[in-house]
Amino acid sequence: MWITPEEVLLANALWVSERANPYFILQRRKGHGRGGGITGLLVGTLDVVLDSSARVAPYRILHQTGESQIFWNIACGSSRKEITEHWDWLETNLLQTLSIFDNDDDITTFVKGKIQGIIAEENKSGKPQEDEDPGKFREAELKMRKLFGMPEEEKLVNYYPCSYWKGRVPRQGWIYLSVNHLCFYSFLLGKEVSLVVQWTDVTQLDKNATLVFPESIRVSTRGTEHFFSMFLNINETFKLMEQLANIAMRQLLDNESFSADRSLPKPCKTLKNVSALKRDLDARAKNERYRALFRLTQDERLDGHTSCTLWTPFAKMHVIGQMFVSNNYICFASREEDLCQLIIPLREVTIVEKADSSSVLPSPLSISTKNKMTFLFANLKDRDFLVQRISDFLQRTPDRPCGLNTQSENPSPSTPPSLPPSPPVLGLGEMPQNQHYSPSLPTAKKGLLQIYQQDVPEELGPKVTREKMKEESWNIHFFEFGRGVCMYRTSKTRELVLNGIPESLRGELWLLFSGAQNEMATHTGYYASLVEQAIGKYTLATEEIERDLHRSMPEHHAFQNEMGIAALRRVLTAYAYRNPSIGYCQAMNIVTSVLLLYCTEEEAFWLLVALCERMLPDYYNTRVVGALVDQGVFEELTRECLPLLYEHMQDLGVISTISLSWFLTLFLSVMPFDSAVLLVDCFFYEGIKVIFQVALAVLHANMDQLLSCSDEGEAMTILGRYLDNVVNKQTVSSPIPHLHALLTSGNNPPPEIDVFELIKASYEKFGSLRADVIEQMRFKQRLKVIQSLEDTAKRSVVRSIMTESAFSIEELEELYVLFKAKHIMSCYWGASSTAAERHDPSLPYLEQYRIDSGQFTQLFSALAPWSCGLHTNTLSGRLFRLLDQNKDSLINFKEFVTGLSGMCHGDMTEKLKLLYRLHLPPALCPEEAESALEAAQFFTDDDMPQGEELKEAGDALAAADTDERKEEKPKDYKYYLRMWAKEKEPKKESIKDLPRMNQEQFIEMCKTLYNMFSEDPMEQELYHGIATVASLLLRIGEVGKKFTNNGSKKTEVQLASAVDALQPEMEDSSGEGGSGQSLVSKALAEAQLETPPPTAAGSDEEAKDDTSVSSYSVVSAGSLQCEDIADDTVLIGCASGDVVDRRRGSLPDADWSITFEQVLASFLTETSLVDYFEKKYDIQNKITACKSLRAVERQTSTSSDHDFSLNTH
């Protein structure tokens, strides 16, 4: 590549000059290529260890004028081919021009200007994302692709110097982190170390420090562990590794492939060795932290942040912190945790103005909102730029939010793309749409508790008073700190939440703290539109919802009538329609029913969105991955905080059993409702850490009893009774009987536990938990959980097909890994179809992963026993079409194993049957057998004698007459049941069901067999056998024509000539054992397309005949196009010149055909063929070779470069 001219003082140090002219020198780096001796080894080692540009550019071109001692580096290349192209261009375009100049300085100026012009032109026409990457980084990416055999689609994110511990010896080299792979390369004193690990194979990623591995990173896969150390910046490297592994896990979970952010703003200054992808990932990490901190939507992107101070009127002081600005919000977080937090939606902002600076208040900025609140920021570093950015975002903020009711053609960014914008078409029995969400229906316009509020008993009077005191405390807080989304959130807010939110304010504050209020405000009418579209649709999710509706808090009076049930149905179906990837999961009904008690339907819907998509990520998908991840986090926290109890509980296996329901329902299903709802209050304010704290507190409170347990059931009973008796003594609602408590209370119920005391204890003992630590632990557990689920899926698939396949369990598991790897590669290296089309999580595990024809060919070439040389791709294409029964150009794992199992472990009949079918439609594509299709049509239409045709026609007329009489009598339901059962019965195909094979298809099969035997140790015997069989089958087909004659005059003439030609052939065959085969060989040899194997010595008669070749050549003239057949071509069965003249240039014989029984019987006559097809094939060696295929590809690409460099000398 051309580079900006750089000065080089020592031109010959560590370099060898290979070409030169008066103005330019082409040099090669010592240590690159073959030879070089000890100097080359040392230079090669230095290039790997040191961060030099020469490390990635083994060739360069220097410019020098006659008397100058200064050289200018103007081009570099990673291969000889690349640098030679640049050299040739210089000699062709510049040498003659430079000879005109008189002054050396003018020559140098001209060359530098020319090279810079070329670079500018390349940048103008190049891809924009490549322009952002510095030249040195692009060279490293090219080096990575060359070393590890990666395609251009594989993008390098960053690379770092480090040591890889191979045994007890560290190897210094470079680690390359790409989007899909971790790669390492080292070259020290002639020893090369190369490593490639797919991120999807990583099961654990740790940063640890031990005596053996000082401050190292451990990368674990299912089979091995890799240690890397001696990083210049280990924290940056480890964070990037985490991000890339997380992207890979997301890909395994829901098949989301990585796509770079094209709208990333360009950096203000050039960042050294930082790629656009690295900047993209850094921006993603910041966005995720920002959204999690302020509970913002997934499409919110942080624009920037700056340190500042915020005036807090309630404390009369300036609080130091950070201001964050994004496309829809201005947020503030104090440096001291919980001191102050603020969220200002731009839709609420009315005025942004710069106040006058003073020594007390430098660079102040005032922001006013619609609800008459003013916020004063100060100590802003770049206030003018900040105001300009806020002004830009304000201009883009719509005056009023537009929901789906006004812009149904353009759903909001947060709406999944699967949401259909158009309303459904009404079917039979459906109600008109305007009645789905009509005011006349029993719709919950407010919380169900308010609708079904019962009179408070007199004995609850003191509790009512306390409830009113809580309301008053919150009103004072609103007056002091503001109300609504712009409220100051402080430690005082947390105290009020922990003391319990009053029922009248619960819905409002849940919306506020969860961030759901912002989404609802910006999507007016969205829920109503979803309800309109969702109701009337019947899916698996709606069936499950209907089944669970009456199981959702049946003890509560709000759900003992149609209004509560209908509201719950609408919210759940609307969400299932919005997010089909989740749809509906058990436990969602319990959580949603609680939300409906305190909120309107629309508010409950947006709270459910916040829960499922932000606060409890991946909890409610088909495999409840998020809950399993948090279950693993809880086990780890138990091990750290309660080590004695952890060991005992692990022996009993209790933690994994109890915790899943706790997390999925936020304790709502295991604790009395009035107590659990207080935990929900804390959860919406604090997040998941509260649930972990309370769960640990529950274990701690029961530690002594749990340590004395001897089995899992006893431990479950202890915890169940404890949770049943957690009571809320301050509730003003009528007590709701807890069904679980009624069943487990026993004769002597345990003492009651005050829920406020439990919450207080959880904060006192385990309040040090931090959200960022939990996220770090979640990442580790996510790797384990998803890989564990993948292993479960693999075992499930293997179990389901092991009875239908002859492979062992171990072989099936390894084949599944290879098959899945091909599918995953197609997701990130591009393919004919998108990843989403290939992967459907709703399908059974067996059918989730699928591959296309190109990937199947790669696996076939690596694993199949029928190696056919250049013919392999053709054969694999035919097998793919045969296996692709639904014609979607994709096959699943079961279909793949079915084809491979027949070739490897089938008996001779199965293998020949597969081979036979590979040369019939649909396996034989139209391009390969255009005439074969015509022949197939001929045989299906006209292959029976006239007498049989008349008989069949008579039968058809009689059947039609019978059908007419039957139509008078209506068929009963039993008839249709019998017909349906008949259709469902699996049809067993016998060899008699196989269609006949015509001449061209037979020729193609012979061609396949010819290629199949080319590398077998018994090659000569097999060729002799197939020549004999082919000759026999050709004669059988000729003789068989008389039975397929349709009576036409033309066919009679052809048959007569064929019989005349066949008689001498048969006489020869009976008289002299092998001479009949030579006639077949003559015709087959003329059409031979591939290079034949070495021929054996034939008989004396064959040696004398100059038109004969070895009887082992069996490729027929039928494989050639008609116009390619020469005048002297001898066709099958032609014994005289007259017959040759009559049939010269004709199509393959359309009357000729054979059956599979005839093929099988013919093959059984040859012992060598029987032995070949009866031989069992061990696929294990092929699997092992396939696993190391990438290493072989790397060696091939490296050696080819050396070969090229030698040939050019």
Side-chain angles (χ1 to χ4, degrees):
M1 59 182 290
W2 301 108
I3 60 174
T4 305
E6 299 173 347
E7 275 191 30
V8 177
L9 296 177
L10 299 174
N12 295 316
L14 309 181
W15 291 86
V16 178
S17 297
E18 295 194 341
R19 297 186 187 182
N21 59 41
Y23 306 103
F24 301 104
I25 305 171
L26 190 155
Q27 294 186 325
R28 173 177 57 84
R29 182 78 163 172
K30 288 181 181 178
H32 181 79
R34 297 178 182 176
I38 187 66
T39 309
L41 282 178
L42 289 173
V43 173
T45 300
L46 285 172
D47 285 345
V48 170
V49 174
L50 301 178
D51 182 15
S52 64
S53 58
R55 182 181 60 81
V56 290
Y59 298 96
R60 70 180 183 182
I61 296 176
L62 301 181
H63 163 66
Q64 181 202 25
T65 51
E67 298 178 359
S68 173
Q69 296 300 314
I70 298 175
F71 296 81
W72 293 89
N73 189 5
I74 59 172
C76 63
S78 58
S79 67
R80 177 174 291 279
K81 182 180 179 181
E82 180 185 4
I83 206 70
T84 304
E85 288 176 358
H86 290 339
W87 179 263
D88 292 342
W89 187 90
L90 290 171
E91 287 191 328
T92 305
N93 296 282
L94 286 191
L95 279 187
Q96 191 171 356
T97 307
L98 295 179
S99 61
I100 301 172
F101 289 91
D102 296 329
N103 190 340
D104 289 347
D105 292 338
D106 292 343
I107 293 175
T108 301
T109 304
F110 178 80
V111 170
K112 288 165 66 177
K114 192 71 177 176
I115 299 301
Q116 287 170 347
I118 293 172
I119 294 171
E121 192 63 31
E122 285 180 351
N123 289 342
K124 189 186 297 182
S125 59
K127 297 180 181 178
Q129 65 268 27
E130 288 183 356
D131 292 345
E132 295 182 12
D133 294 343
K136 189 173 177 183
F137 184 88
R138 288 205 299 275
E139 292 170 6
E141 188 170 46
L142 292 172
K143 180 75 170 179
M144 179 201 75
R145 290 175 187 159
K146 181 182 173 186
L147 284 174
F148 306 105
M150 300 288 181
E152 288 189 8
E153 291 83 2
E154 186 68 2
K155 300 297 184 184
L156 178 65
V157 180
N158 215 347
Y159 62 106
Y160 303 93
C162 70
S163 291
Y164 171 56
W165 292 79
K166 194 174 175 74
R168 295 186 177 181
V169 181
R171 303 288 183 132
Q172 184 66 26
W174 290 81
I175 189 169
Y176 297 86
L177 304 180
S178 71
V179 173
N180 304 299
H181 295 87
L182 178 154
C183 307
F184 177 84
Y185 181 79
S186 171
F187 181 82
L188 287 173
L189 300 177
K191 290 189 177 180
E192 187 180 46
V193 176
S194 184
L195 172 72
V196 177
V197 177
Q198 281 191 359
W199 290 117
T200 49
D201 293 336
V202 174
T203 57
Q204 195 170 348
L205 203 59
D206 295 305
K207 183 176 65 173
N208 49 23
T210 62
L211 291 174
V212 182
F213 302 113
E215 201 175 23
S216 62
I217 293 175
R218 180 178 63 178
V219 180
S220 305
T221 61
R222 286 179 177 82
T224 55
E225 290 185 342
H226 307 283
F227 289 88
F228 302 91
S229 64
M230 298 177 69
F231 289 94
L232 295 176
N233 190 340
I234 191 169
N235 292 327
E236 179 191 334
T237 310
F238 185 69
K239 282 181 181 177
L240 181 56
M241 284 182 169
E242 279 188 328
Q243 277 186 286
L244 294 170
N246 225 347
I247 290 170
M249 292 307 104
R250 177 58 55 185
Q251 186 179 4
L252 286 176
L253 181 60
D254 50 21
N255 228 59
E256 281 186 10
S257 57
F258 177 81
S259 57
D261 187 353
R262 303 296 183 196
S263 58
L264 201 67
K266 290 192 175 183
C268 303
K269 57 182 180 179
T270 303
L271 302 173
K272 185 180 178 182
N273 288 344
V274 177
S275 67
L277 271 179
K278 177 68 167 63
R279 289 178 48 232
D280 182 5
L281 290 172
D282 290 343
R284 289 175 189 229
K286 288 181 180 178
N287 287 335
E288 286 173 10
R289 287 195 295 270
Y290 169 63
R291 290 193 293 257
L293 181 61
F294 298 105
R295 306 273 169 81
L296 302 177
T297 57
Q298 297 297 323
D299 57 343
E300 199 63 28
R301 294 171 50 172
L302 180 65
D303 187 68
H305 59 91
T306 182
S307 58
C308 67
T309 59
L310 171 66
W311 172 252
T312 52
F314 52 88
K316 303 292 189 291
M317 61 182 288
H318 292 277
V319 176
I320 301 173
Q322 290 267 332
M323 175 193 280
F324 301 84
V325 178
S326 62
N327 44 336
N328 292 301
Y329 298 91
I330 299 170
C331 302
F332 175 85
S334 58
R335 183 185 299 173
E336 185 181 339
E337 194 176 2
D338 292 332
L339 189 58
C340 182
Q341 195 183 80
L342 183 65
I343 301 172
I344 308 172
L346 291 182
R347 66 177 185 275
E348 298 288 328
V349 172
T350 54
I351 300 173
V352 177
E353 59 181 349
K354 294 182 283 188
D356 295 333
S357 295
S358 65
S359 57
V360 180
L361 203 64
S363 302
L365 180 67
S366 172
I367 299 177
S368 302
T369 62
K370 293 177 182 177
N371 59 355
K372 310 301 182 187
M373 292 183 71
T374 302
F375 304 95
L376 186 61
F377 298 91
N379 291 282
L380 293 161
K381 290 182 180 177
D382 197 347
R383 183 177 62 166
D384 293 340
F385 177 74
L386 178 65
V387 170
Q388 183 59 47
R389 292 301 294 162
I390 294 174
S391 174
D392 293 342
F393 287 130
L394 280 172
Q395 288 177 3
R396 300 176 204 164
T397 305
D399 293 333
R400 64 176 186 84
C402 296
L404 282 181
N405 56 345
T406 57
Q407 290 187 345
S408 60
E409 294 299 320
N410 298 309
S412 65
S414 62
T415 306
S418 55
L419 177 65
S422 58
V425 179
L426 287 178
L428 291 175
E430 290 187 19
M431 296 167 57
Q433 284 193 359
N434 56 7
Q435 293 183 24
H436 286 162
Y437 196 67
S438 164
S440 61
L441 283 177
T443 305
K445 292 294 184 183
K446 51 185 178 180
L448 293 176
L449 268 186
Q450 296 180 35
I451 297 175
Y452 294 98
Q453 188 70 47
Q454 297 180 343
D455 294 332
V456 180
E458 292 182 4
E459 64 269 16
L460 296 179
K463 294 182 179 179
V464 174
T465 306
R466 181 174 293 179
E467 184 78 2
K468 288 183 178 178
M469 289 174 63
K470 283 185 184 179
E471 290 181 15
E472 189 58 32
S473 298
W474 275 99
N475 287 330
I476 293 171
H477 184 274
F478 292 148
F479 178 78
E480 203 171 336
F481 297 88
R483 186 167 189 167
V485 286
C486 298
M487 179 175 74
Y488 292 97
R489 305 174 196 201
T490 67
S491 54
K492 176 71 173 174
T493 315
R494 174 193 277 180
E495 288 177 21
L496 288 174
V497 171
L498 295 184
N499 288 329
I501 298 174
E503 291 187 351
S504 59
L505 297 173
R506 189 161 270 148
E508 175 189 343
L509 292 173
W510 282 359
L511 283 167
L512 175 65
F513 297 144
S514 66
Q517 185 169 337
N518 288 318
E519 274 192 288
M520 189 170 72
T522 53
H523 294 81
T524 307
Y526 175 71
Y527 171 70
S529 177
L530 271 186
V531 171
E532 290 286 348
Q533 297 178 51
I535 292 190
K537 292 290 183 74
Y538 299 100
T539 62
L540 181 63
T542 57
E543 288 180 17
E544 293 176 349
I545 289 169
E546 289 297 327
R547 189 177 62 238
D548 288 347
L549 282 177
H550 294 278
R551 304 177 189 172
S552 309
M553 296 188 69
E555 67 275 11
H556 200 289
H557 52 271
F559 296 98
Q560 295 169 358
N561 59 78
E562 184 53 33
M563 179 182 285
I565 295 296
L568 183 59
R569 178 187 292 114
R570 283 191 290 269
V571 173
L572 290 174
T573 52
Y575 185 77
Y577 193 69
R578 165 192 165 89
N579 194 342
S581 62
I582 290 179
Y584 171 76
C585 172
Q586 282 189 334
M588 286 173 69
N589 59 320
I590 295 173
V591 175
T592 308
S593 58
V594 174
L595 299 178
L596 280 168
L597 290 175
Y598 300 100
C599 309
T600 67
E601 280 184 39
E602 186 174 12
E603 292 169 347
F605 170 80
W606 287 113
L607 280 170
L608 185 62
V609 169
L611 276 173
C612 296
E613 297 174 15
R614 296 199 303 277
M615 301 188 73
L616 297 175
D618 300 322
Y619 258 58
Y620 300 110
N621 58 21
T622 50
R623 296 190 279 182
V624 293
V625 172
L628 293 173
V629 167
D630 280 350
Q631 181 178 290
V633 172
F634 180 56
E635 289 189 27
E636 196 172 335
L637 289 172
T638 307
R639 187 179 63 208
E640 291 178 6
C641 302
L642 308 169
L644 288 176
L645 183 61
Y646 171 77
E647 291 178 8
H648 185 66
M649 297 280 275
Q650 281 296 98
D651 294 338
L652 299 180
V654 176
I655 295 180
S656 58
T657 308
I658 59 173
S659 56
L660 197 60
S661 61
W662 295 4
F663 291 116
L664 274 173
T665 64
L666 305 176
F667 285 97
L668 286 165
S669 63
V670 295
M671 197 182 282
F673 168 74
D674 294 324
S675 305
V677 78
L678 291 173
L679 298 183
V680 178
D681 292 343
C682 301
F683 167 75
F684 276 123
Y685 187 78
E686 291 272 33
I688 194 64
K689 62 168 282 189
V690 173
I691 305 300
F692 285 122
Q693 288 176 190
V694 172
L696 288 169
V698 169
L699 292 184
H700 184 269
N702 294 276
M703 184 185 293
D704 295 336
Q705 296 180 62
L706 290 172
L707 286 173
S708 62
C709 288
S710 57
D711 58 38
E712 180 185 358
E714 188 180 353
M716 294 282 290
T717 304
I718 290 170
L719 291 171
R721 286 189 176 181
Y722 178 87
L723 291 171
D724 288 337
N725 288 275
V726 176
V727 297
N728 178 6
K729 298 179 180 178
Q730 299 180 12
T731 182
V732 293
S733 302
S734 301
I736 301 170
H738 191 226
L739 297 181
H740 190 261
L742 296 176
L743 296 173
T744 60
S745 58
N747 296 327
N748 298 313
E752 295 181 342
I753 300 98
D754 190 345
V755 66
F756 291 101
E757 292 297 323
L758 177 62
I759 293 173
K760 182 180 177 184
S762 74
Y763 272 90
E764 287 175 353
K765 293 183 174 68
F766 309 105
S768 58
L769 280 180
R770 294 173 55 88
D772 55 343
V773 174
I774 289 174
E775 282 303 315
Q776 184 70 26
M777 296 169 78
R778 273 179 166 176
F779 164 74
K780 290 182 182 178
Q781 295 299 326
R782 192 176 293 116
L783 287 178
K784 291 180 183 176
V785 166
I786 293 180
Q787 296 291 15
S788 173
L789 289 172
E790 291 296 309
D791 291 341
T792 303
K794 178 174 69 176
R795 289 193 294 269
S796 173
V797 168
V798 168
R799 277 198 304 270
S800 67
I801 62 174
M802 60 184 294
T803 56
E804 303 174 25
S805 164
F807 290 119
S808 66
I809 294 178
E810 292 76 17
E811 288 171 342
L812 283 173
E813 287 184 347
E814 292 186 348
L815 286 172
Y816 179 83
V817 170
L818 292 173
F819 185 89
K820 181 178 146 192
K822 284 294 176 189
H823 166 88
I824 290 174
M825 281 185 182
S826 72
C827 297
Y828 52 67
W829 283 350
S832 56
S833 60
T834 63
E837 292 172 352
R838 293 158 177 264
H839 183 270
D840 184 356
S842 65
L843 292 173
Y845 287 133
L846 188 61
E847 300 176 16
Q848 284 191 12
Y849 296 114
R850 294 179 288 174
I851 59 174
D852 62 16
S853 177
Q855 293 155 340
F856 176 79
T857 298
Q858 293 172 10
L859 287 176
F860 181 88
S861 304
L863 300 172
W866 293 350
S867 176
C868 298
L870 297 175
H871 198 62
T872 301
N873 290 356
T874 306
L875 191 65
S876 69
R878 291 174 186 167
L879 181 57
F880 182 86
R881 288 189 289 274
L882 185 65
L883 297 174
D884 183 20
Q885 297 179 356
N886 58 357
K887 309 300 177 194
D888 63 349
S889 301
L890 295 170
I891 63 169
N892 60 33
F893 182 66
K894 182 179 180 180
E895 294 166 337
F896 170 73
V897 168
T898 301
L900 202 59
S901 179
M903 284 186 284
C904 294
H905 295 294
D907 57 19
M908 180 177 180
T909 305
E910 287 179 32
K911 290 180 180 177
L912 281 178
K913 184 177 170 183
L914 177 61
L915 187 67
Y916 186 86
R917 293 177 65 192
L918 286 176
H919 297 86
L920 297 173
L924 210 65
C925 68
E927 292 80 7
E928 292 177 317
E930 188 174 351
S931 60
L933 294 176
E934 296 172 6
Q937 184 181 2
F938 174 81
F939 286 123
T940 53
D941 293 344
D942 305 311
D943 62 348
M944 61 181 73
Q946 283 183 339
E948 291 186 27
E949 282 186 353
L950 292 171
K951 181 172 180 286
E952 188 179 35
D955 292 343
L957 287 171
D961 188 36
T962 307
D963 285 345
E964 286 178 9
R965 286 199 298 271
K966 281 183 180 177
E967 281 177 6
E968 298 171 6
K969 229 198 280 184
K971 297 179 177 64
D972 61 355
Y973 70 93
K974 292 181 182 178
Y975 169 81
Y976 291 107
L977 283 174
R978 282 196 303 272
M979 294 297 292
W980 179 78
K982 203 171 184 181
E983 286 177 8
K984 292 294 180 185
E985 284 179 7
K987 296 178 182 177
K988 294 183 179 179
E989 186 182 53
S990 68
I991 58 176
K992 293 183 179 179
D993 296 328
L994 292 171
R996 300 175 73 89
M997 179 178 279
N998 67 27
Q999 193 176 74
E1000 184 164 354
Q1001 293 162 351
F1002 171 71
I1003 291 165
E1004 287 293 332
M1005 187 169 76
C1006 290
K1007 188 175 172 184
T1008 299
L1009 288 165
Y1010 171 85
N1011 287 283
M1012 192 184 296
F1013 303 146
S1014 60
E1015 298 176 5
D1016 196 275
M1018 304 291 292
E1019 184 178 353
Q1020 297 302 325
E1021 291 82 352
L1022 289 168
Y1023 282 135
H1024 188 279
I1026 196 59
T1028 306
V1029 168
S1031 172
L1032 179 60
L1033 286 170
L1034 283 165
R1035 288 197 290 275
I1036 289 173
E1038 290 288 342
V1039 173
K1041 286 199 297 186
K1042 70 176 72 172
F1043 299 107
T1044 59
N1045 181 15
N1046 61 1
S1048 66
K1049 186 175 180 181
K1050 175 184 173 185
T1051 308
E1052 287 176 3
V1053 173
Q1054 289 178 347
L1055 183 60
S1057 65
V1059 171
D1060 292 341
L1062 190 58
Q1063 282 176 348
E1065 216 178 301
M1066 294 174 69
E1067 288 169 6
D1068 292 343
S1069 177
S1070 58
E1072 310 174 43
S1075 62
Q1077 298 162 16
S1078 65
L1079 289 173
V1080 180
S1081 301
K1082 292 175 190 178
L1084 296 177
E1086 294 295 333
Q1088 185 170 324
L1089 297 181
E1090 277 94 359
T1091 305
T1095 56
S1099 60
D1100 293 337
E1101 290 81 7
E1102 290 171 344
K1104 293 172 186 175
D1105 188 353
D1106 59 347
T1107 61
S1108 308
V1109 293
S1110 168
S1111 63
Y1112 310 130
S1113 299
V1114 289
V1115 179
S1116 162
S1119 60
L1120 292 176
Q1121 300 296 328
C1122 297
E1123 57 267 19
D1124 295 333
I1125 299 178
D1127 290 346
D1128 58 347
T1129 302
V1130 180
L1131 292 176
I1132 311 295
C1134 300
S1136 63
D1138 295 337
V1139 179
V1140 171
D1141 291 337
R1142 282 200 304 269
R1143 304 193 56 173
R1144 181 182 300 149
S1146 64
L1147 289 168
D1149 194 348
D1151 294 331
W1152 188 97
S1153 69
I1154 54 173
T1155 65
F1156 177 71
E1157 293 98 318
Q1158 293 166 342
V1159 172
L1160 178 60
S1162 303
F1163 271 76
L1164 288 171
T1165 62
E1166 289 295 321
T1167 308
S1168 59
L1169 294 175
V1170 172
D1171 292 341
Y1172 179 85
F1173 283 105
E1174 283 289 355
K1175 181 173 59 180
K1176 300 298 180 186
Y1177 179 74
D1178 183 13
I1179 201 174
Q1180 192 61 51
N1181 293 334
K1182 289 271 190 177
I1183 291 175
T1184 306
C1186 191
K1187 287 180 179 177
S1188 58
L1189 187 60
R1190 183 170 296 283
V1192 174
E1193 287 173 355
R1194 287 201 303 274
Q1195 292 171 9
T1196 304
S1197 63
T1198 307
S1199 62
S1200 64
D1201 182 61
H1202 292 322
D1203 294 342
F1204 184 84
S1205 63
L1206 289 172
N1207 293 336
T1208 52
H1209 285 303

